[in-house]
Amino acid sequence: MATFDQRNGHSGWSSDVATVTLGLDGVVTGWSEGARRLLGHPAPEVVGRAATELLLGEGAPEATGLSLAGSQEWRGTAALRHRDGHRVETTLHAQPALDADGRTRSFVVTLSPHPDRTMVQWAFDQSSVALSTHTTASGAWERNAVAHGAGERAAETAAERRPPSLADEGFLRCVRQVAEEGVPLRYECLAPEPSCAPGATAPVPLTATHHRAWVIELWPVRDPATGEVVGVGTAAFDSSDQHAARQRLALLQEAGARIGTTLNVTRTAQELADLAVPRLADFVSVDLLDSVLRGEEPVPGPVDAAVVLRRVAHQSTAAGQDVPEAAIDLGGMDTYPPFSPPARCLADGKPVLSGADDPDFAAWIAGHETRTARVAEFGFHSVMATPLRARGITLGVAVFTRGKGSPPFEPDDLVLAEELAGRTAVGVDNARRYTRERTNALTLQRSLLPRDLPRQAAVEVAYRYLPAGTGAGVGGDWFDVVPLSGTRVALVVGDVVGHGIHASATMGRLRTAVRTLADVDLPPDELLTHLDDLVTHLATDREDIDPDEPYLVSGEIGATCLYAVYDPVSRVCTFASAGHVPPVVLRPDGTARVVELTPGPLLGVGGLPFECTELELPEGSLLAFCTDGLLEARDRDVGLGLDRLCEALAGPVSSLEATCDTILRALLPASPSDDVALLLARTRALHADQVAAWSLPSDPSIVADARAQATRQLTAWGLEEAAFVTELVVSELVTNAIRYGAVPIGLRLIRDRTLICEVSDASNTAPHLRRARTYDEGGRGLHMVAQLTQGWGTRQGPQGKTIWAEQSLPAG
């Protein structure tokens, strides 16, 4: 017979068995600990209440065959209501409790979970997956052992049992959504690792602060009888390995977009350091060979023994611009001993994984006082050194380091670091090659451009030349100032289409051709015609080049050019343009405008004429010549650029040099996308007291009178010492004009930096030096002129030619 403990409301049966004592009226009089565990109700909540309140469904007692009538033992099944509301299928075994007279006074009912329900509970409890259930009515949680083991709280209250994810508001929102909408959901989250101390296992070694990744499946739990959502079931799966793989792939994909964005060696190295911190390491440094920074070709293969490298980039998790973990400053040199991880990886050409337990690591740290202090301060304990190698040559080394609070590097991290270093090495090598090519092209370009403009009296000049600041490479822009006869000056600016060393070489050839044609003293339109023929021939020559020949590209050549000649005597400037942007003139009254030219075709088009435009300029006028790199930009075209150039010129300036700087600041961005050439020329004028001119008849007897007039003029100028040579020059040139030329004949003396004697006539036949034989009566005149003067020549004009001779002024 079972006994009953009135104090606890429990029968005397074993507490492991779920037993209930019922009176003959069906009221619960006893409730065991096993019954509490099975149904969740504590004894005070059940004792004294009708047992039928625990049954689920309409007519539940009749369905089970349960009856308290009579005094016989009986068995049956029933669906009971758990305290949290879910259904518990049980097997009931009732035995009558008799009094001393043998009459039934109560029933002791043993409750056994239905076998299939027991299996489910076992599966729930023993699952290797973190499982939990949430009851919507009570808000209670039930978790299995795995879910408990992953908990982030050491203690939980009896009224509220929470799984690890309940600290995540996003998870709670999902639980509420599943309960309200009755639809399954998936939720992914990262939970902090319990420990990140050295030696701890970290499944996601991708950040300095590590997390474990979870994928949580949520589904609604419904009452089979009513279909109502009574709870939410969850299953949490550890997806740390998959998350780590995805993170590595994402990092590699991001590396393709973020590393090597510029053709700058230092910037490319810094991009690696910025990307790897903090997602792979706490501190990253990149050191390169000095030859790489100079664009030179490093020695092929791995680097042996101790190696000296220059720090070009580093980054750390420390906030702000400073990197306190660095033992070497940016730009500083460091020597890695042969046993150090960086030197070992450079010698073997393979990445090296090292740490505090490596004797070589300890010896390397101990050998550098500053590095020793940094390791002690920041707790660096794990290091990866990967060589930067591309196209068979070693460029430098990248060192990845983890400090206190982060787990050691793993082999998977080494594979990732090697891949990142390989991509960086390609970018660094591309930048190195570009640096070398750009340096060579700039050297060639600057050797072809004028270093110091020649001295001349016609204009005061200032100039600026800026190579392109982007990866487009150097261009073919050029400018020049060429002194001409009669104190005139040629002002030239041009631009070869394209960039690179080919454009620079073509620019040099064109500039040489312009100077050669200018020495012949051709008019601007004829000079451009000859230059156009030259460009056409150059393009024809390039068509015969083998396309596979290195450093040469076949195809058409295009160029623009503006050629202007200014005469300080007449104050007339003659322009001719081959597709070039027009100049801007600032007059002494402060008005600036674009010179209206008749534009000609680009050089190399061929067959089309060039036209001259003449403009008389007051003394002190300022001419601005430039290439389109100064005028064009993303936000404006050439027309708007010319307007802004006029505005910049019209502002108050103190000198031509200051004006150049003002123009560049007003029109250029910080890094121009194209080469820029700017040439400013302020005009001067020769006044009447510096020029003397006479018209001569075609009569040999006038030669003596011409000599006399020249002598009187030199006396008036105080140049008596030059009279003897000048008389000989005048006599010879006037005699030749009378003998071989045509009227009108003119004589002109110009006094400036030199003394110039000019004789003009209407004939286009140009004289030339010849060697006179012993008994020849003539042929020695021009030879004598050439010997007595510092230069002579001839130039063609619209109505004949002019022969000139120039001699130095007497000292003082």
Side-chain angles (χ1 to χ4, degrees):
M1 179 181 296
T3 62
F4 182 73
D5 188 344
Q6 296 289 343
R7 292 173 299 173
N8 295 321
H10 295 162
S11 70
W13 289 22
S14 171
S15 63
D16 291 336
V17 179
T19 60
V20 179
T21 304
L22 301 178
L24 296 180
D25 57 358
V27 175
V28 178
T29 60
W31 189 263
S32 72
E33 177 63 20
R36 187 200 67 79
R37 285 200 304 273
L38 178 62
L39 297 179
H41 299 282
E45 292 183 2
V46 181
V47 174
R49 301 174 61 181
T52 55
E53 295 182 12
L54 298 175
L55 301 176
L56 284 176
E58 295 289 339
E62 289 75 17
T64 61
L66 178 101
S67 176
L68 297 181
S71 59
Q72 300 299 318
E73 178 180 351
W74 49 263
R75 294 177 180 272
T77 61
L80 304 182
R81 187 190 306 275
H82 193 276
R83 185 173 184 269
D84 61 14
H86 74 264
R87 186 187 187 95
V88 179
E89 299 288 347
T90 59
T91 299
L92 308 179
H93 181 198
Q95 291 180 313
L98 305 178
D99 59 12
D101 298 330
R103 291 177 297 186
T104 301
R105 65 181 181 87
S106 63
F107 283 89
V108 178
V109 182
T110 303
L111 309 179
S112 301
H114 197 277
D116 56 352
R117 175 61 189 172
T118 303
M119 184 66 69
V120 171
Q121 187 65 44
W122 290 347
F124 180 85
D125 293 336
Q126 301 174 20
S127 172
S128 61
V129 178
L131 300 175
S132 62
T133 59
H134 171 71
T135 303
T136 56
S138 63
W141 283 91
E142 180 73 20
R143 298 189 298 176
N144 67 359
V146 175
H148 273 292
E152 66 271 11
R153 299 190 301 181
E156 298 175 327
T157 64
E160 185 179 25
R161 304 175 65 193
R162 296 173 177 260
S165 304
L166 277 184
D168 190 332
E169 179 59 31
F171 171 75
L172 293 178
R173 285 196 300 268
C174 290
V175 171
R176 290 192 292 268
Q177 182 177 349
V178 172
E180 294 171 0
E181 301 178 3
V183 294
L185 286 179
R186 169 178 289 186
Y187 179 72
E188 297 185 15
C189 66
L190 294 176
E193 282 293 324
S195 174
C196 287
T201 301
V204 193
L206 281 176
T207 60
T209 303
H210 292 272
H211 294 77
R212 183 181 294 275
W214 294 92
V215 174
I216 304 176
E217 299 287 349
L218 301 94
W219 64 92
V221 178
R222 300 179 183 274
D223 187 327
T226 64
E228 178 186 358
V229 176
V230 296
V232 177
T234 70
F237 302 92
D238 188 348
S239 62
S240 300
D241 292 340
Q242 295 84 344
H243 177 77
R246 290 196 303 269
Q247 289 292 94
R248 291 189 177 93
L249 289 175
L251 190 62
L252 288 177
Q253 183 178 9
E254 190 173 345
R258 289 183 54 184
I259 297 178
T261 59
T262 64
L263 290 172
N264 182 284
V265 172
T266 302
R267 180 58 192 162
T268 302
Q270 188 63 49
E271 288 169 346
L272 168 63
D274 293 342
L275 179 67
V277 175
R279 297 167 65 179
L280 179 60
D282 298 330
F283 173 73
V284 174
S285 64
V286 181
D287 298 343
L288 299 177
L289 295 168
D290 247 0
S291 58
V292 175
L293 298 175
R294 295 192 299 267
E296 300 174 0
E297 192 79 16
V299 178
V303 179
D304 296 331
V307 58
V308 179
L309 300 175
R310 186 177 297 277
R311 176 67 50 84
V312 297
H314 53 214
Q315 188 57 273
S316 74
T317 55
Q321 298 294 328
D322 296 333
V323 181
E325 295 93 335
I328 305 297
D329 295 331
L330 287 177
M333 304 294 291
D334 192 19
T335 301
Y336 291 103
F339 55 82
S340 65
R344 284 158 49 196
C345 84
L346 289 174
D348 298 337
K350 299 178 181 179
V352 172
L353 179 59
S354 182
D357 56 349
D358 183 357
D360 289 340
F361 174 83
W364 172 47
I365 299 302
H368 193 284
E369 182 178 353
T370 305
R371 186 171 283 117
T372 302
R374 296 293 186 271
V375 170
E377 179 180 359
F378 297 99
F380 293 134
H381 57 82
S382 186
V383 169
M384 295 187 300
T386 58
L388 299 178
R389 302 190 72 245
R391 302 178 179 95
I393 58 175
T394 299
L395 307 169
V397 62
V399 179
F400 304 82
T401 311
R402 280 186 181 166
K404 56 186 175 183
S406 298
F409 289 113
E410 297 181 350
D412 286 344
D413 299 319
L414 194 64
V415 174
L416 178 60
E418 185 178 13
E419 182 66 24
L420 293 177
R423 297 193 181 195
T424 304
V426 173
V428 169
D429 193 50
N430 290 339
R432 176 191 65 83
R433 290 168 178 262
Y434 169 76
T435 300
R436 181 185 62 191
E437 295 298 325
R438 179 174 171 81
T439 301
N440 293 340
L442 282 174
T443 302
L444 172 63
Q445 185 183 49
R446 288 169 179 164
S447 68
L448 297 175
L449 289 171
R451 291 182 178 273
D452 296 311
L453 296 180
R455 297 181 61 188
Q456 41 74 41
V459 293
E460 176 192 359
V461 295
Y463 63 91
R464 292 289 186 274
Y465 182 84
L466 299 178
T470 65
V474 296
D477 295 16
W478 92 92
F479 64 93
D480 211 343
V481 177
V482 184
L484 302 177
S485 62
T487 67
R488 296 169 308 128
V489 65
L491 304 169
V492 193
V493 62
D495 184 4
V496 176
V497 176
H499 294 85
I501 196 170
H502 316 295
S504 296
T506 301
M507 175 269 288
R509 299 170 79 172
L510 295 183
R511 177 173 177 262
T512 301
V514 169
R515 293 191 68 91
T516 302
L517 295 171
D519 285 341
V520 181
D521 232 328
L522 294 177
D525 55 342
E526 293 185 25
L527 184 143
L528 291 183
T529 300
H530 286 283
L531 197 62
D532 181 54
D533 293 338
L534 172 63
V535 173
T536 302
H537 291 315
L538 290 177
T540 303
D541 294 342
R542 287 165 66 94
E543 291 177 356
D544 299 331
I545 297 174
D546 184 358
D548 296 330
E549 188 171 351
Y551 303 109
L552 292 175
V553 180
S554 61
E556 297 181 354
I557 297 177
T560 65
C561 183
L562 177 62
Y563 186 82
V565 175
Y566 174 69
D567 187 348
V569 177
S570 64
R571 300 193 307 278
V572 172
C573 189
T574 306
F575 304 88
S577 173
H580 200 82
V581 294
V584 172
V585 59
L586 174 67
R587 294 182 178 272
D589 61 3
T591 59
R593 66 181 180 86
V594 179
V595 178
E596 296 182 1
L597 303 180
T598 302
L602 290 175
L603 297 175
V605 173
L608 298 176
F610 299 95
E611 297 185 21
C612 288
T613 301
E614 292 187 350
L615 181 64
E616 185 174 350
L617 299 172
E619 183 180 5
S621 297
L622 180 59
L623 288 168
F625 302 84
C626 65
T627 55
D628 58 3
L630 179 67
L631 305 176
E632 288 185 317
R634 293 181 179 178
D635 59 342
R636 67 174 186 267
D637 57 12
V638 173
L640 182 58
L642 286 172
D643 293 339
R644 294 183 60 179
L645 178 57
C646 291
E647 295 174 2
L649 275 176
V653 291
S654 57
S655 65
L656 289 188
E657 295 293 335
T659 304
C660 286
D661 295 335
T662 300
I663 292 173
L664 295 182
R665 285 195 300 268
L667 275 75
L668 286 184
S671 181
S673 59
D674 196 4
D675 285 13
V676 173
L678 173 65
L679 176 64
L680 299 183
R682 176 174 286 131
T683 63
R684 295 175 175 145
L686 296 182
H687 301 285
D689 60 346
Q690 294 179 273
V691 181
W694 301 272
S695 180
L696 305 176
S698 182
D699 183 357
S701 62
I702 201 64
V703 175
D705 186 53
R707 290 198 302 267
Q709 292 188 69
T711 300
R712 286 193 295 272
Q713 185 62 53
L714 292 180
T715 301
W717 285 342
L719 300 176
E720 294 86 351
E721 295 183 21
F724 176 74
V725 174
T726 304
E727 287 184 358
L728 290 176
V729 171
V730 169
S731 178
E732 177 58 32
L733 296 184
V734 171
T735 299
N736 283 345
I738 294 173
R739 179 178 300 177
Y740 303 110
V743 293
I745 299 174
L747 170 64
R748 185 169 72 167
L749 295 179
I750 301 175
R751 175 180 60 86
D752 190 55
R753 299 177 185 270
T754 60
L755 180 61
I756 301 172
C757 177
E758 295 182 344
V759 175
S760 60
D761 67 83
S763 172
N764 289 322
T765 303
H768 60 277
L769 283 174
R770 64 183 178 88
R771 182 181 180 85
R773 292 185 293 271
T774 303
Y775 297 104
D776 286 348
E777 295 181 359
R780 298 181 178 84
L782 285 181
H783 183 74
M784 180 178 60
V785 170
Q787 294 297 318
L788 294 176
T789 61
Q790 68 180 34
W792 76 279
T794 181
R795 67 175 181 268
Q796 299 293 327
Q799 286 129 8
K801 67 178 183 296
T802 298
I803 304 173
W804 57 270
E806 186 176 356
Q807 55 183 306
S808 302
L809 293 176

